[in-house]
Amino acid sequence: QVQLVESGGGLVQAGGSLRLSCAASGRTFSNYQMGWFRQAPGKEREFVAAITWSGGSTSYRDSVKGRFTISRDNAKNTVYLQMNSLKPEDTAVYYCAANPTGYTYDYWGQGTQVTVSS
């Protein structure tokens, strides 16, 4: 079992920055691909970014490329999402998730709210 706890959300003006953190506990965090997802009111949850177990490869949804950066510190069992140049359309609850098998994200955090005002 893996427990994930997100933090770092909040209210920020458009153009501002936030850094989300996701602390993992339980089983071997460093073996897992990790991802960030978000869900805006009335919309389905969508993929934001992912990082391989080593941190050697990352992927992003098109709308956040060049603005968001995912990273991880396996010594601290933590994954980060640095969000710059935030836009009102980035407003959502952000979730981190762990993918232990390489196929599905099986473990999810409780989410952290990000609100970007115009």
Side-chain angles (χ1 to χ4, degrees), residues 2 27-29 31-34 53 97-107:
V2 175
R27 304 183 70 179
T28 311
F29 167 82
N31 290 345
Y32 299 162
Q33 175 173 313
M34 298 296 296
W53 68 272
N99 179 347
T101 63
Y103 294 100
T104 59
Y105 287 90
D106 295 331
Y107 304 103

Side-chain angles (χ1 to χ4, degrees), residues 27-76:
R27 304 183 70 179
T28 311
F29 167 82
S30 59
N31 290 345
Y32 299 162
Q33 175 173 313
M34 298 296 296
W36 285 96
F37 295 77
R38 67 188 182 187
Q39 187 167 20
K43 296 186 177 181
E44 293 187 353
R45 185 169 58 195
E46 62 184 21
F47 167 79
V48 176
I51 187 167
T52 54
W53 68 272
S54 67
S57 180
T58 58
S59 59
Y60 300 90
R61 71 178 298 106
D62 287 346
S63 63
V64 308
K65 286 180 180 178
R67 300 188 298 121
F68 290 12
T69 302
I70 188 171
S71 62
R72 67 190 296 163
D73 185 339
N74 287 340
K76 296 182 178 180

Side-chain angles (χ1 to χ4, degrees), residues 76-100:
K76 296 182 178 180
N77 281 6
T78 302
V79 62
Y80 305 97
L81 186 67
Q82 178 67 44
M83 305 186 295
N84 298 329
S85 302
L86 283 161
K87 303 176 181 180
E89 52 263 43
D90 295 318
T91 295
V93 177
Y94 283 70
Y95 300 89
C96 75
N99 179 347

